[in-house]
């Protein structure tokens, strides 16, 4: 009855089952995996957000494959602030970056074609690849006083079936930016091998110190698709608004735009109220981002203070984003460790293998958790190892 691409193992994993049981038990629970910003106690500009959704213009249907010009102009203004010349005609609105990935896989790949993805990275790509009949090939990020792209492995991973390289900038969960040198090197490598770049920049603005790294939208050596959206930039995942910015040499860029237009036109997935609201929703990002960064910095300082009082666990270097990686003694599998932390200490964390770490001994913690939960959760976590 069903397509083999949907033959997934749909059984819940042991950690999910144990978490549900723990919640039901009513025992103390410290969730250090929270990624939903709307449940983290941030103050949103509610009147502005609700007013943005009530434009009378939404009573009319104006189907446009790329999305309403007024909304795309607001996204272009976001890139102007970053000194990247992204014009409205080079933007496509989508309901999420996941949908944007899907469009791009359909644009670039025949069934069985390959896309390079970083490892470790966010566990979203496997399902998106399956759904679109794409084969993912991992290229490792290496850690040596900070994360780096491993260009020799990346180059070795290219085959005649490779169509694109994904770069997550900054990466989730490693929290590292691709440096400008890495961006240029990746762009040159992709241009030489006729590959597109898909740059996922949903966390671009969340630099924990200093300023954010430059956007890939300013790179035009290779055909480059930069993805972002308001689910992270404005902390509004429920609004479902994201985009693709295309950069590259004119011939390729125009060909990509024309084909993408047919894909987007076949779905017309953006709703009118959200498109009309997008300029006002984007305008709320500064207030959201400053609150979020206060939270991230406070939690990071708390983590560092607690880590300084012991020697067994440490944290990896981190530049931007909402997650941090802890290095812990690898005395048991990541799954068993996460289960023990939950049942013995009431702390929920993600084991590194959820994010494709190839070895045990890594845990991923959300830095957007409320300060109180974070402080007690980390205290309990570290107790496990002492
Ligand atoms: C790196 C990365 N890209 C994309 C997404 C999904 O974003 P969206 O809500 O726009 O689909 C996430 C969600 O956590 C993410 O971590």
């Amino acid at each position: 009855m069903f397509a083999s691409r949907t033959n997934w193992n749909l059984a819940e994993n042991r950690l999910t089952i144990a978490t549900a049981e723990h919640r039901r038990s009513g025992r103390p629970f410290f969730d250090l995996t929270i990624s939903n910003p709307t449940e983290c106690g941030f103050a949103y500009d509610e009147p502005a957000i609700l007013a943005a959704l009530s434009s009378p213009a939404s009573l009319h249907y104006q189907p446009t494959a790329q999305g309403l010009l007024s909304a795309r102009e607001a996204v272009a203004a976001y890139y102007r602030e970053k000194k990247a010349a992204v014009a409205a005609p080079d933007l496509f609105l989508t309901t999420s970056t996941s949908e944007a990935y899907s469009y791009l896989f359909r644009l670039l790949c025949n069934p069985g074609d390959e896309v390079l993805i970083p490892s470790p990275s966010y566990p979203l790509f496997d399902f998106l690849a399956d759904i679109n009949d794409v084969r993912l090939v991992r290229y490792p990020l290496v850690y040596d006083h900070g994360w780096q792209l491993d260009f020799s492995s990346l180059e070795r991973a290219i085959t005649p079936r490779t169509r694109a390289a994904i770069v997550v900038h900054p990466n989730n969960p490693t929290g590292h930016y691709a440096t400008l040198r890495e961006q240029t090197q990746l762009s040159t490598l992709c241009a030489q091998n006729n590959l597109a770049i898909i740059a996922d920049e949903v966390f671009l603005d969340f630099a924990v110190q200093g300023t954010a790294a430059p956007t890939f939208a300013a790179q035009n050596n290779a055909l480059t698709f930069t993805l972002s959206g308001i689910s992270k930039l404005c902390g509004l995942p429920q609004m479902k608004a994201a985009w693709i910015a295309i950069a590259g040499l004119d011939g390729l860029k125009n060909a990509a735009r024309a084909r993408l237009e047919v894909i987007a036109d076949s779905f017309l997935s953006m709703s009118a109220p959200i498109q009309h609201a997008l300029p006002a929703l984007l305008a709320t990002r500064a207030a959201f981002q400053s609150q979020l960064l206060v939270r991230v910095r406070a939690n990071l300082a708390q983590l560092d203070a607690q880590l300084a009082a012991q020697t067994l666990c440490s944290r990896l270097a981190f530049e931007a984003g909402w997650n941090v990686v802890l290095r812990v003694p690898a005395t048991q599998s990541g799954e068993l460790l996460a289960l023990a932390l939950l049942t013995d200490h009431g702390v929920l964390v993600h084991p590194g293998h959820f994010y494709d770490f190839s070895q045990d001994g890594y845990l991923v913690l959300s830095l957007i958790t409320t300060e109180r939960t974070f402080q007690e959760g980390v205290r309990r976590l570290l107790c496990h190892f002492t």
Side-chain angles (χ1 to χ4, degrees):
M1 180 69 79
F2 301 110
S4 55
R5 76 169 78 79
T6 64
N7 283 347
W8 297 297
N9 175 5
L10 297 174
E12 285 188 318
N13 68 49
R14 286 161 73 189
L15 189 57
T16 309
I17 296 167
T19 304
E21 268 169 23
H22 192 91
R23 281 181 193 276
R24 273 196 303 273
S25 75
R27 280 179 285 153
F29 181 52
F30 299 87
D31 185 353
L32 304 188
T33 68
I34 285 176
S35 61
N36 179 351
T38 64
E39 303 302 323
C40 290
F42 297 117
Y44 288 90
D45 185 345
E46 290 171 12
I49 292 170
L50 294 175
L53 294 171
S54 60
S55 165
S58 301
L59 295 172
H60 299 276
Y61 184 40
Q62 299 169 259
T64 45
Q66 292 188 231
L68 288 178
L69 184 61
S70 54
R72 284 183 288 128
E73 295 283 10
V75 177
Y78 166 77
Y79 285 105
R80 261 198 310 282
E81 263 183 29
K82 302 191 174 305
K83 314 265 183 293
V86 177
D90 295 330
L91 286 163
F92 281 78
L93 301 184
T94 60
T95 54
S96 63
T97 45
S98 306
E99 186 178 62
Y101 277 115
S102 243
Y103 283 10
L104 294 176
F105 289 166
R106 299 315 273 179
L107 172 73
L108 298 166
C109 300
N110 288 317
D113 278 350
E114 295 168 4
V115 170
L116 304 175
I117 65 159
S119 171
S121 74
Y122 181 69
L124 164 79
F125 301 121
D126 293 287
F127 288 106
L128 287 174
D130 286 351
I131 291 165
N132 291 289
D133 303 324
V134 167
R135 213 172 84 73
L136 296 179
V137 176
R138 280 155 168 89
Y139 67 89
L141 302 173
V142 288
Y143 189 79
D144 183 15
H145 300 92
W147 291 94
Q148 293 156 33
L149 268 75
D150 179 353
F151 277 99
S152 50
S153 298
L154 197 153
E155 216 168 334
R156 275 199 306 275
I158 298 172
T159 75
R161 299 216 65 174
T162 313
R163 294 285 165 267
I166 292 176
V167 57
V168 184
H169 174 61
N171 186 272
N172 182 15
T174 66
H176 89 286
Y177 284 122
T179 62
L180 198 51
R181 219 183 69 200
E182 287 177 322
Q183 294 190 20
T184 313
Q185 198 174 342
L186 184 65
S187 233
T188 307
L189 181 69
C190 287
Q192 282 165 350
N193 288 279
N194 211 20
L195 308 182
I197 295 178
I198 302 175
D200 178 333
E201 296 189 349
V202 296
F203 293 109
L204 185 70
D205 293 357
F206 299 97
V208 73
Q209 285 153 355
T211 47
T215 166
F216 269 89
Q219 292 283 340
N220 51 20
N221 197 0
L223 180 62
T224 302
F225 301 96
T226 302
L227 315 186
S228 191
I230 66 170
S231 86
K232 304 292 188 289
L233 293 186
C234 306
L236 294 170
Q238 75 277 35
M239 297 299 174
K240 309 304 293 177
W243 55 81
I244 303 169
I246 316 177
L249 301 179
D250 278 348
L252 263 185
K253 195 165 84 168
N254 294 340
R257 190 196 298 110
R259 288 164 187 249
L260 211 43
E261 217 174 304
V262 178
I263 296 174
D265 200 39
S266 308
F267 293 97
L268 292 170
S269 57
M270 292 296 292
S271 74
I274 293 300
Q275 294 188 77
H276 287 295
L278 193 56
L281 297 180
L282 267 172
T284 67
R285 73 182 182 279
F288 170 73
Q289 291 178 7
S290 58
Q291 289 178 69
L292 188 126
L293 283 168
V294 166
R295 173 81 53 86
V296 164
R297 288 177 187 133
N299 283 339
L300 208 53
Q302 176 60 230
L303 177 63
D304 287 346
Q306 293 199 36
L307 287 172
Q310 53 83 65
T311 51
L312 290 172
C313 305
S314 57
R315 80 162 167 89
L316 303 193
F318 151 91
E319 292 173 285
W322 297 7
N323 282 327
V324 68
V325 180
L326 273 197
R327 184 88 177 89
V328 298
T331 49
Q332 58 195 137
S333 77
E335 186 181 41
L336 288 180
L337 172 60
L339 284 168
L341 288 169
L342 180 65
T343 49
D344 300 347
H345 304 275
V347 181
L348 180 63
V349 292
H350 279 147
H353 72 84
F354 273 28
Y355 290 85
D356 212 21
F357 277 81
S358 54
Q359 288 169 354
D360 288 324
Y362 295 94
L363 297 176
V364 177
L365 273 54
S366 167
L367 290 166
I368 69 166
T369 316
T370 55
E371 280 100 331
R372 240 213 241 155
T373 300
F374 190 82
Q375 178 174 359
E376 179 59 12
V378 169
R379 193 191 67 73
R380 288 167 172 249
L381 187 158
L382 294 178
C383 273
H384 180 80
F385 299 101
T386 50

